Amino acid sequence: MTGEFELIRDYFADIGGDLSGSVQLSVGDDCAVITPPAHQDLVVSIDTMVEGVHFPFGTSGDRVASRLLGAALSDLAAMAASPAFFTLALTLPDTDPVWLKAFSTRLAELARQYGVQLVGGDTTRGPLTLSVQVHGWTPAGKALLRSGARPGDRIFVTGTLGDSRGGLETLLNNIHGEQVPYLQHRFFCPEPRLDTALLIAPFATAAIDISDGLLADLNHILEASQVGAMLNPGELPISHELHHWVGEAQSRQWALSGGEDFELCFTAPALVEPKLAWALRDHNVAVTCIGQISETRGIVLAEDGQVLPVTPQGYNHFSGTGNLR
Amino acid sequence: MTGEFELIRDYFADIGGDLSGSVQLSVGDDCAVITPPAHQDLVVSIDTMVEGVHFPFGTSGDRVASRLLGAALSDLAAMAASPAFFTLALTLPDTDPVWLKAFSTRLAELARQYGVQLVGGDTTRGPLTLSVQVHGWTPAGKALLRSGARPGDRIFVTGTLGDSRGGLETLLNNIHGEQVPYLQHRFFCPEPRLDTALLIAPFATAAIDISDGLLADLNHILEASQVGAMLNPGELPISHELHHWVGEAQSRQWALSGGEDFELCFTAPALVEPKLAWALRDHNVAVTCIGQISETRGIVLAEDGQVLPVTPQGYNHFSGTGNLR
């Protein structure tokens, strides 16, 4: 068995390049050795995905790689960190060379794209489970936290929300149609908003990435910052594809609590909004203001003069909604 | 389900203290934030354990915690690194509070003992799988590698070898007896040789921790250093308990290729042996010279004038031996 798993390791040789020059020793010893760049903080996050829980049984290796690394790097984006290196703990039921090749090829592509080097890992036999730890650097003391939102701050989100949940629903219900490829791509291939994060970091007071759903994750900012929020559901950024497939009401529900969007939700003072807009003028990811921070704790939705309190789990008047897990 | 797993996270609040002062932000944000101490390299290793593969089904939570953290920290010892913090990715089939309490309590004890703080993690549902990433610091450029062994260097090991394999055999074959508790303790509770590593680091030219078996792991040093080794099997440190239970021949076999010892194997020039002995004079872990590095590649066993070539997998004349995995 050891021989078999040593073979597997060959799939993961030389994944990603060391752009930062900080990696002294990569795979091949008991540990990897990294020399931290001067005046930088290390930022780390570990994420696990299990077949049948985080992605359907039988998902192809390239899709699993996209989902795994995209979601993990999204945590670095939420801290406005620059990605540097990662480790991979891979538990496999068997050694399917087709799956492994697709997985490692896609992983290598993404590692190059995002500038992260694979510096270590572990390969074991068992039910398909993947843990990845991502590591990034921020200027010392400058990591973007959840705890800095202040009353009056504007609340922003990147991209569009609810697509990933839509993609999952098309998978689970075996739905076909014009919008399906886009929605499933959004589910399988989250794009960590690393570049956007660096552009907004000078202005943002708090940030999180949306994994549990906008309301749940915004609530983490609100609790850490001890504030509340008022959202305008009419401002929620919803893709044409999602809107076309399920209409206004369902789109909004998934945008608020669908989860797994891996977009950023962040806050910034109203005064810096022009500067923020200027910083993002040539940027190819939409950033939308969806509400503002209030002193009153909790979240309310306000549209056309109507005010609707919601729980972090979703609308009160929709039953059965909530998280995917 | 999210609520359930958020509850689980409560078991892991405040595990370990920050002795180094480097942890700026622990669990509770998207990432942990660490300020690297000046002039130190970061050393990282990730390890996975799967129920039924690395430990028997039904193993108690405290034993799993001991095995998991002990084995992981052993990789830091092999680099002569000082442990600092760790992350935990925990995949659980259900939420058994007795198991979780035993696991988290023991994990917290060991974290305090070894001075590592739990700074982040992920909890998911699935077959029992645990990945832990350990992080330590070494003075810049001073990590102890596998690649520095030179012909003439003496080869040393810490503690006794083969006990862990003996313990596993008593478990698998349901054996009882006077030696069993000691041997099973050695299997479930590896003691990472972190203190020993810091004492030997000024003198050692190469090191590895013994996880696959002495021959296999020594061979990693030999390949990285492009040298060979001559071992005296009569010098292998074998515990009274193991010897008493299975006798000389079986003890030696397990000492050479049993695996999962989590002792250190290291090399040091013959000239520094007196200084090494002096550095270890009050140390409570035995360090035994078992042979020396040669120019001729490969490993030979030499005893009483007889020379026996061996493969990294074990004795040639024992079939069916090898790794546990």
Side-chain angles (χ1 to χ4, degrees), chain B residues 248-263:
Chain B
E248 181 83 6
Q250 182 68 83
S251 295
R252 282 192 184 184
Q253 186 184 330
W254 287 346
L256 286 168
S257 56
E260 313 282 332
D261 296 296
F262 300 113
E263 297 290 351

Side-chain angles (χ1 to χ4, degrees), chain A residues 146-147 216-228 297 312:
Chain A
R146 297 176 179 179
S147 49
D217 288 312
L218 173 59
N219 195 55
H220 291 311
I221 287 183
L222 302 181
E223 291 193 338
S225 304
Q226 301 186 287
V227 291
R297 304 292 289 269

Side-chain angles (χ1 to χ4, degrees), chain B:
Chain B
M1 286 266 286
T2 300
E4 183 185 7
F5 280 96
E6 278 172 1
L7 271 180
I8 290 174
R9 286 181 204 128
D10 292 343
Y11 286 94
F12 301 100
D14 301 322
I15 284 193
D18 177 21
L19 295 182
S20 69
S22 61
V23 177
Q24 302 300 316
L25 186 70
S26 182
V27 287
D29 211 301
D30 292 278
C31 297
V33 181
I34 292 97
T35 300
H39 313 302
Q40 301 274 305
D41 283 343
L42 173 71
V43 169
V44 304
S45 176
I46 190 165
D47 273 305
T48 299
M49 286 173 43
V50 181
E51 187 176 41
V53 177
H54 298 88
F55 54 87
F57 284 97
T59 299
S60 62
D62 56 327
R63 286 180 152 185
V64 171
S66 297
R67 186 90 172 62
L68 180 72
L69 200 57
L73 290 172
S74 182
D75 281 320
L76 292 185
M79 309 296 282
S82 299
F85 57 98
F86 72 108
T87 56
L88 172 68
L90 185 58
T91 303
L92 289 168
D94 47 42
T95 56
D96 173 353
V98 172
W99 192 94
L100 272 171
K101 185 72 188 162
F103 177 79
S104 62
T105 300
R106 184 77 186 123
L107 198 69
E109 286 169 8
L110 290 172
R112 270 194 302 275
Q113 179 182 338
Y114 293 114
V116 280
Q117 183 179 0
L118 181 66
V119 301
D122 194 9
T123 314
T124 55
R125 180 178 288 270
L128 184 56
T129 306
L130 309 99
S131 289
V132 67
Q133 179 159 325
V134 291
H135 309 69
W137 305 109
T138 63
K142 296 289 188 189
L144 189 51
L145 309 185
R146 298 177 177 176
S147 50
R150 297 291 170 261
D153 282 0
R154 300 288 189 259
I155 302 167
F156 300 88
V157 292
T158 61
T160 56
L161 303 181
D163 295 334
S164 176
R165 173 60 179 267
L168 178 65
E169 294 287 336
T170 66
L171 277 169
L172 296 178
N173 300 301
N174 201 22
I175 286 167
H176 300 274
E178 205 183 327
Q179 291 79 33
V180 168
Y182 167 80
L183 296 172
Q184 291 193 0
H185 180 81
R186 291 277 288 163
F187 175 74
F188 281 118
C189 305
E191 286 178 42
R193 299 306 187 190
L194 293 156
D195 293 342
T196 318
L198 294 182
L199 291 172
I200 66 164
F203 312 104
T205 49
I208 195 168
D209 75 317
I210 303 174
S211 53
D212 293 337
L214 172 63
L215 292 176
D217 288 313
L218 173 60
N219 195 56
H220 291 312
I221 287 183
L222 302 181
E223 291 193 338
S225 304
Q226 300 186 287
V227 291
M230 186 172 290
L231 298 183
N232 182 347
E235 299 293 339
L236 289 170
I238 288 167
S239 71
H240 173 75
E241 288 85 350
L242 184 65
H243 192 277
H244 187 269
W245 178 45
V246 292
E248 181 83 6
Q250 182 68 83
S251 295
R252 282 192 184 184
Q253 186 184 330
W254 287 346
L256 286 168
S257 56
E260 313 282 332
D261 296 296
F262 300 113
E263 297 290 351
L264 295 181
C265 174
F266 67 97
T267 59
L271 271 176
V272 304
E273 222 178 326
K275 288 185 185 174
L276 180 64
W278 180 252
L280 293 167
R281 68 196 179 282
D282 294 328
H283 192 53
N284 60 353
V285 176
V287 172
T288 308
C289 179
I290 58 168
Q292 69 176 37
I293 297 295
S294 57
E295 282 192 42
T296 313
R297 303 293 290 270
I299 306 176
V300 294
L301 300 183
E303 188 179 22
D304 303 334
Q306 273 205 312
V307 172
L308 183 69
V310 291
T311 71
Q313 283 71 44
Y315 283 106
N316 279 337
H317 63 294
F318 284 104
S319 63
T321 65
N323 295 317
L324 299 180
R325 287 172 288 182

Side-chain angles (χ1 to χ4, degrees), chain A residues 37-268:
Chain A
H39 314 301
Q40 300 275 304
D41 284 343
L42 174 71
V43 169
V44 305
S45 175
I46 191 165
D47 273 304
T48 299
M49 286 173 44
V50 181
E51 187 177 40
V53 178
H54 298 86
F55 54 87
F57 284 97
T59 299
S60 62
D62 56 328
R63 285 180 154 183
V64 171
S66 297
R67 187 91 172 60
L68 180 72
L69 200 58
L73 289 172
S74 182
D75 281 320
L76 292 184
M79 310 296 283
S82 299
F85 58 98
F86 72 107
T87 57
L88 172 67
L90 184 59
T91 303
L92 290 168
D94 47 42
T95 55
D96 173 353
V98 173
W99 192 94
L100 271 171
K101 184 73 188 162
F103 176 79
S104 61
T105 300
R106 185 75 185 124
L107 198 69
E109 287 169 7
L110 291 171
R112 270 194 303 275
Q113 180 180 340
Y114 293 115
V116 280
Q117 183 177 1
L118 181 65
V119 301
D122 194 10
T123 315
T124 55
R125 179 178 288 271
L128 185 54
T129 307
L130 309 100
S131 289
V132 67
Q133 179 160 323
V134 290
H135 310 70
W137 306 109
T138 63
K142 296 290 188 190
L144 189 50
L145 309 185
R146 297 176 179 179
S147 49
R150 298 290 170 262
D153 281 1
R154 300 288 188 260
I155 302 167
F156 300 88
V157 292
T158 61
T160 56
L161 302 181
D163 295 333
S164 176
R165 173 61 177 265
L168 179 64
E169 294 287 337
T170 66
L171 277 168
L172 296 178
N173 300 300
N174 200 23
I175 286 167
H176 300 274
E178 206 183 327
Q179 291 80 32
V180 168
Y182 167 81
L183 296 173
Q184 292 193 0
H185 180 82
R186 292 278 289 162
F187 174 74
F188 281 118
C189 306
E191 285 178 44
R193 299 305 187 189
L194 292 157
D195 294 342
T196 319
L198 295 181
L199 291 173
I200 66 163
F203 312 104
T205 50
I208 195 169
D209 75 316
I210 303 174
S211 53
D212 293 337
L214 172 63
L215 292 175
D217 288 312
L218 173 59
N219 195 55
H220 291 311
I221 287 183
L222 302 181
E223 291 193 338
S225 304
Q226 301 186 287
V227 291
M230 185 172 290
L231 297 183
N232 182 348
E235 299 294 340
L236 289 170
I238 289 167
S239 71
H240 172 74
E241 288 85 351
L242 185 65
H243 192 276
H244 187 268
W245 179 43
V246 292
E248 181 85 6
Q250 182 66 83
S251 295
R252 283 192 183 183
Q253 185 185 326
W254 286 346
L256 286 167
S257 56
E260 312 281 334
D261 295 298
F262 300 112
E263 297 290 350
L264 296 180
C265 174
F266 67 97
T267 59

Side-chain angles (χ1 to χ4, degrees), chain A residues 281-300:
Chain A
R281 68 196 180 282
D282 294 328
H283 192 53
N284 60 353
V285 176
V287 172
T288 309
C289 180
I290 58 168
Q292 68 177 38
I293 298 293
S294 57
E295 282 193 42
T296 313
R297 304 292 289 269
I299 306 176
V300 295

